[in-house]
Each structure stands twice: as structure tokens, then as C-alpha cells.
Amino acid sequence: MSDGIIDVAAGLILRPDGQLLLGQRPEGKPWAGWWELPGGKLEPGETVLQALARELQEEIGIEVTQAVPWVTYVHAYPHTTVRLAFCQVTGWKGEPRSLENQRLEWVNPAEASSVGDLLPATLPPLRWLQLPNTYGITSIGGRAGLPSFLERLERALARGLKLVQVREPDWPDGPGATSLRDAVQTIVKLCHAAGARVLINSVHPAAWWRQADGVHLRANDAAALHARPELPEGALVGVSAHDNAQIVHAREMGADFAVLGAVLETPSHPGQAGMGWDGFVAGNRDAGLPVYALGGQSADTLDEARRHGAHGIAGIRGLI
């Protein structure tokens, strides 16, 4: 525990149907009647996952069998500051039950406020849960490659892809060309029909960002900003990062998520080792927002990425 900051492990207990468990703080505790994620303070010498397992056993009577670290987030309440290590819990033994005189409810994360007042620190992870675990990035190359790309995109959308970044810096006609704008409009139409969202890389005109679902800022473009770009309500802002300082900047400017890499060697840069998973963990330290792993990623690396604290994976090959 750091001076002045209380370290807490908090569990997002998720059923296969996507329902999330919330608990209502009982009478006699601060913020009584407000709803929160189950969990509690770390004891000396405990890891986050050890503390989470102990707290969930004591608080709701379940034995955790599968949990991964997710986002570490600092929140300042009027009289205390807490550092919440949010973890996603997808496997457990037993049925959650009230052992501390608290009410429990399974909720749809998107409609969690229907149960009542939510603790302020509970709101960000509920929002982050709306982000999918895979983030596809386009690699069309030019007008000649568009038909085959659209076929791949349709297959990926049919498999459940829900978030796509249009990134074509080397488009032969230029990154702001009319031919690319027309391709972007087709991509947005296909994705929206499948319930997927599209972000436009900041190498492309800002007017396109507003015609899609937001922007993905290159690291240098993000570094030049002190706040998130002005976009329509509900638009997303993603940021590319290569180290912890850039992740911190993404959080401070109000980004919705970041992408960190390259983690592993990629086909486009053979022989160049990535930062590795230890480097990813270091870069993702105290991120305060969801971070995707980029570089050498595919459906086969998703579980490993999440074991190392990634929200999910981002990339071109294997995702689109």
C-alpha cells in the first residue's frame, strides 16, 4: 500500500451471458445504499489476484477459478484516494450469496444504473466493458485491393468483429484522396449494418472522423493534444502508444482506450523483436484505461494478452 492511497482489488464477475454482479453497500458503511463491484483492500504481502480471491470468498462465498488483471485506476473520493485493480472474473465455484448483509444483483453492464446509485469509481469499468476484445485494423493498399478486403471484412464481421480502424497511410492516391473517402464510406456502411463501429486514423482528414464513430490518434498526433478532440457525443478516441509515458498521456487527455506495441515480432518487421509481454506489462502499468496489445497478435494470442492485463488484441492479420 502506498502512502495516502488505499489499494483495492475489485472483481467484475461476468456470466457467459454477459451479466455482471453488483453489490449494494450495507448500512453502517460509508456510501451505504450505493452499488459497487465486489472486492476489498489488499492485505500486506498479497497480490491483487490473491486479495480478490480472499475477498470474494469472504464477501459472497465463491471460490475464484479463473480471473485476469484488467485496468488499474486511481479515484479520489472526498476523504480518501483508492487505487482500484479491476480484474475480470469468468470462472468460480459456488453461487454468489450475501455474507455481509448486502443486496446482490445481476445486471446488464450497459443498464447497470437501473439498480440505483453507482459508486463513482464503478462507472469507468462499466463503460470500458462496452469495448470489444478485438480491434481490427485495415490493410487495403489501394483501389485494386478493395474488393478482396471487403470480402475479408464481411467474414470478420460475421465472426463477431465489432471495432475497426481505417488506417491507410500509403494509399496510392494519398491519405485524403476521394477514392479512399469512398472506400471509407463503404466500410462504415458495412460495419454499421453488422453493429460494428469504425474509427478513422488521424493520418486521414478530420472531417472523416465525424462521419464514422471517432478517431484513432497516432502517438505523435496525441502528443500534440492536451484534451480529446471535439467529436459528437458517443464517439470514441483511441491512441497509439509505445511506452508508459504515452499511455499516461492518453489517459490524461481523456482517451477511451490505447493500443500498445509492438509486443511480438510482426511479418512486416521480420527479425525485429517486440517489447515482449514483460514490456507490455511495464508499459501498461497503472494505465487507468483499457489497453489493447498490438504486434504479432491473432485470435490465438487473445488469452495470453488478457493474462498480461490487456483489454484485448489489435492488428491486421487474423482479425480482418
Side-chain angles (χ1 to χ4, degrees), residues 34-286:
W34 291 64
W35 292 81
E36 65 178 350
L37 296 163
K41 300 177 186 177
L42 273 67
E43 293 184 351
E46 282 187 321
T47 67
V48 167
L49 291 179
Q50 287 170 343
L52 182 69
R54 174 185 53 76
E55 285 285 347
L56 296 187
Q57 179 73 60
E58 295 172 356
E59 189 175 330
I60 57 175
I62 64 171
E63 178 185 346
V64 174
T65 59
Q66 186 171 352
V68 293
W70 186 30
V71 179
T72 299
Y73 175 78
V74 176
H75 184 86
Y77 285 100
H79 302 295
T80 188
T81 299
V82 292
R83 177 164 45 225
L84 294 130
F86 293 113
C87 304
Q88 293 194 19
V89 180
T90 55
W92 61 88
K93 294 180 180 177
E95 186 65 25
R97 62 191 190 279
S98 172
L99 299 180
E100 295 185 350
N101 197 34
Q102 77 276 44
R103 284 181 56 198
L104 300 176
E105 291 285 347
W106 291 101
V107 300
N108 178 340
E111 302 171 354
S113 60
S114 62
V115 299
D117 292 326
L118 302 172
L119 276 185
T122 300
L123 298 175
L126 295 176
R127 184 174 67 251
W128 299 332
L129 280 179
Q130 310 310 309
L131 291 169
N133 290 326
T134 55
Y135 183 26
I137 304 172
T138 69
S139 180
I140 305 169
R143 282 181 284 184
L146 184 59
S148 61
F149 170 79
L150 292 176
E151 290 179 1
R152 297 197 306 273
L153 177 60
E154 286 184 321
R155 290 195 294 269
L157 293 170
R159 293 194 303 268
L161 182 66
K162 294 297 183 185
L163 188 62
V164 174
Q165 178 191 156
V166 174
R167 179 185 177 277
E168 300 293 330
D170 300 319
W171 190 262
D173 301 333
T178 300
S179 58
L180 179 54
R181 182 202 61 194
D182 294 343
V184 168
Q185 290 174 346
T186 300
I187 291 167
V188 170
K189 184 177 180 180
L190 273 176
C191 288
H192 285 182
R197 290 182 285 184
V198 181
L199 302 188
I200 308 299
N201 189 277
S202 57
V203 72
H204 304 299
W208 299 4
W209 312 350
R210 294 167 179 82
Q211 296 166 6
D213 301 294
V215 61
H216 186 100
L217 296 167
R218 296 175 298 177
N220 287 342
D221 293 335
L225 298 175
H226 298 292
R228 58 185 284 138
E230 291 186 11
L231 293 168
E233 184 177 355
L236 294 174
V237 175
V239 172
S240 289
H242 307 290
D243 56 34
N244 183 254
Q246 292 177 343
I247 292 287
V248 169
H249 179 68
R251 180 190 72 223
E252 291 176 345
M253 66 172 289
D256 295 291
F257 66 89
V259 172
L260 177 63
V263 178
L264 307 175
E265 181 179 327
T266 64
S268 59
H269 297 83
Q272 295 185 21
M275 63 176 61
W277 288 115
D278 287 345
F280 179 86
V281 171
N284 191 29
R285 184 181 68 256
D286 294 338

